[in-house]
Amino acid sequence: MAPFPPAPALSPQALQVVFVYPDTTRNPDPSNRFSDAPRLEFLGRKFADVVYTEVISTRWSHSSAVQLQASSFPGMIDQGFRAFIERAVRAYQWQNRVQGPFPPGVNPQSAAEAERVFLTYVGAVSVQYPPDDGYNRLRDWFTDLLLARG
């Protein structure tokens, strides 16, 4: 297995949005394409689903549906995707970088928060880079993440 790869580079503007808990009472800044964290998370979920599925289907092209859905088959669809996200966030120690304030009931170390941070990061990559370049960066990163140890 390969070492953990670096995440695609993001601008300081994008990193600030990714690593600060979103304030839902604040209106997005129209001059900052990264200022709407829920939008980035939404886009990130869409991109991550597609990229992850492509990487899995390419990497394990001869696997059956049963194998792809099995959580015991490393890094596969369904439960494997959540584990993939949690593993990446843990390896990058992203949950320790998120700044509050956190609303009551939000656990910064929870799986839900790991998913929010990861998907917001993916969304920021998709917004920062031109469409083909952003997608290719995400695909290469996800491929490297699946091969990484850690």
Side-chain angles (χ1 to χ4, degrees):
M1 295 186 111
F4 244 79
L10 288 176
S11 70
Q13 263 188 328
L15 290 171
Q16 181 178 2
V17 172
V18 171
F19 295 115
V20 173
Y21 194 83
D23 179 359
T24 56
T25 63
R26 186 185 51 149
N27 289 327
D29 175 359
S31 66
N32 177 357
R33 61 189 171 157
F34 302 108
S35 71
D36 189 350
R39 177 179 178 271
L40 293 178
E41 182 182 354
F42 174 83
L43 292 172
R45 180 174 304 283
K46 300 303 180 187
F47 272 92
D49 285 344
V50 171
V51 171
Y52 184 80
T53 302
E54 178 190 346
V55 169
I56 293 297
S57 66
T58 301
R59 179 116 177 99
W60 289 282
S61 60
H62 299 295
S63 299
S64 70
V66 171
Q67 289 171 315
L68 290 174
Q69 292 170 345
S71 61
S72 60
F73 204 42
M76 290 299 159
I77 312 290
D78 299 340
Q79 292 178 3
F81 182 55
R82 286 185 290 280
F84 168 81
I85 289 173
E86 289 177 34
R87 182 172 161 254
V89 170
R90 218 176 16 256
Y92 295 123
Q93 298 180 354
W94 283 351
Q95 286 173 293
N96 298 331
R97 291 182 59 186
V98 177
Q99 301 170 14
F102 296 95
V106 171
N107 176 358
Q109 300 302 314
S110 70
E113 183 60 12
E115 184 173 304
R116 186 199 65 76
V117 170
F118 184 85
L119 295 176
T120 305
Y121 198 99
V122 169
V125 171
S126 74
V127 167
Q128 179 166 310
Y129 295 98
D132 288 343
D133 187 32
Y135 186 88
N136 291 336
R137 285 173 190 260
L138 290 170
R139 187 188 60 228
D140 293 346
W141 180 41
F142 279 32
T143 299
D144 292 345
L145 283 173
L146 281 168
L147 297 174
R149 67 187 144 177

